[in-house]
Amino acid sequence: MILEVAMLQVKPGLTSDFERNFQTASGIISQMEGYIHHELKRCLEDSHKYVLLVKWETLEDHTIGFRGSAEYQEWKELLHHFYDPFPVVEHFEDVYIK
């Protein structure tokens, strides 16, 4: 299992629209091969900042399967215009779990 982490900075005045579109986009990503779970969290100190956490079976499920799919084009259409700057996406593996 890998964890995709993306810090999302949403343009001022667009957070409500972003959150509404994200609900729609959630239905897209949750149907993808290798998808396990995702969470979107809003920052308490900066209401325009979010963190997206997505668990995938493998790195390739995200980087090849999802990003190479027609569904990803829908995801982009729904969400990418909200970001400034465009987010950096990183992937993490488990080291220690208690």
Side-chain angles (χ1 to χ4, degrees), residues 67-86:
R67 286 193 177 164
S69 70
E71 290 87 350
Y72 181 66
Q73 299 308 312
E74 293 178 61
W75 171 275
K76 282 175 48 173
E77 185 73 25
L78 285 166
L79 299 177
H80 285 194
H81 62 282
F82 288 109
Y83 307 139
D84 186 27
F86 195 77

Side-chain angles (χ1 to χ4, degrees), residues 14-61:
L14 298 179
T15 56
S16 294
D17 292 339
F18 167 71
E19 290 179 15
R20 186 172 34 259
N21 279 23
F22 189 84
Q23 288 182 13
T24 301
S26 289
I28 296 169
I29 197 169
S30 64
Q31 300 301 310
M32 297 306 299
E33 181 77 26
Y35 165 88
I36 299 171
H37 172 83
H38 74 280
E39 300 176 28
L40 179 69
K41 299 183 180 288
R42 184 184 323 111
C43 180
L44 294 175
E45 292 80 17
D46 179 351
S47 63
H48 296 99
K49 186 184 290 185
Y50 298 78
V51 63
L52 172 62
L53 307 170
V54 186
K55 290 183 181 178
W56 297 95
E57 292 286 341
T58 68
L59 177 64
E60 292 76 18
D61 286 331

